[in-house]
Amino acid sequence: MSVRGPKAIAALCLRCLAVLTLVNGAALTVFLLTAEADSPWARQAPQTIYYLGVALVVAAVLIGLVGFPAGVLTARLLEKSSREWVHVAVFAAVGALLSVTLCAWFHLLQVVAWYTLVAAAEGAVGAGVARWWTGRVMARQTPWTQEQGAALPWGKITP
């Protein structure tokens, strides 16, 4: 499925932010629910939720300023490839690389060594799932004949 052009990449960037919001919100919720009621982590829950909101605003700005141009370039470089899994994998790899690069730029990786893995996972999950989601949405909007739909690896998607 062709996910090219500024409009498609802008939709992909918004989906990336939605994925990051859901994943990080769910992780924070699970973490706070499993924390002891009298632990320091539980007492700092309002501050932690505030920091998550600030981090998502910063992520939105960075996705717009860095992710959007990188997405347009990546989609342009992949225009000859018709395999959906290649597009998803490349977008995930680019997202991981950009996330680690931006975190290193802001000196966030020097605090704890495994932050690099977390940053890479955030970028890969955000960009990869957003690219997969965008491809699925575009596939649903494309009118397919029964023969074309039967030839798709996932089968015909009907609205």
Side-chain angles (χ1 to χ4, degrees):
M1 183 59 28
S2 173
V3 177
R4 282 191 304 261
K7 184 177 176 183
I9 299 301
L12 188 144
C13 288
L14 289 174
R15 288 184 179 102
C16 181
L17 188 61
V19 168
L20 290 175
T21 302
L22 285 172
V23 168
N24 289 313
L28 179 63
T29 302
V30 168
F31 179 74
L32 290 176
L33 288 176
T34 58
E36 298 284 329
D38 58 346
S39 72
W41 291 104
R43 285 181 289 213
Q44 294 177 356
Q47 295 161 332
T48 306
I49 293 168
Y50 171 76
Y51 289 136
L52 177 62
V54 170
L56 289 172
V57 169
V58 170
V61 171
L62 291 174
I63 288 170
L65 293 176
V66 178
F68 178 75
V72 171
L73 177 64
T74 302
R76 180 83 172 119
L77 293 173
L78 290 172
E79 70 185 1
K80 295 205 189 286
S81 175
S82 62
R83 297 179 187 256
E84 185 73 8
W85 70 269
V86 171
H87 287 248
V88 172
V90 169
F91 268 83
V94 168
L97 180 67
L98 285 176
S99 178
V100 170
T101 303
L102 288 170
C103 287
W105 180 273
F106 291 112
H107 305 289
L108 298 175
L109 302 180
Q110 297 171 356
V111 179
V112 179
W114 57 270
Y115 280 6
T116 304
L117 295 175
V118 173
E122 288 273 332
V125 168
V129 172
R131 174 55 183 85
W132 172 83
W133 185 6
T134 302
R136 297 294 284 188
V137 167
M138 292 188 78
R140 285 191 178 102
Q141 294 172 350
T142 304
W144 298 96
T145 65
Q146 290 298 332
E147 295 80 25
Q148 288 173 324
L152 293 172
W154 55 80
K156 185 173 187 317
I157 300 172
T158 57

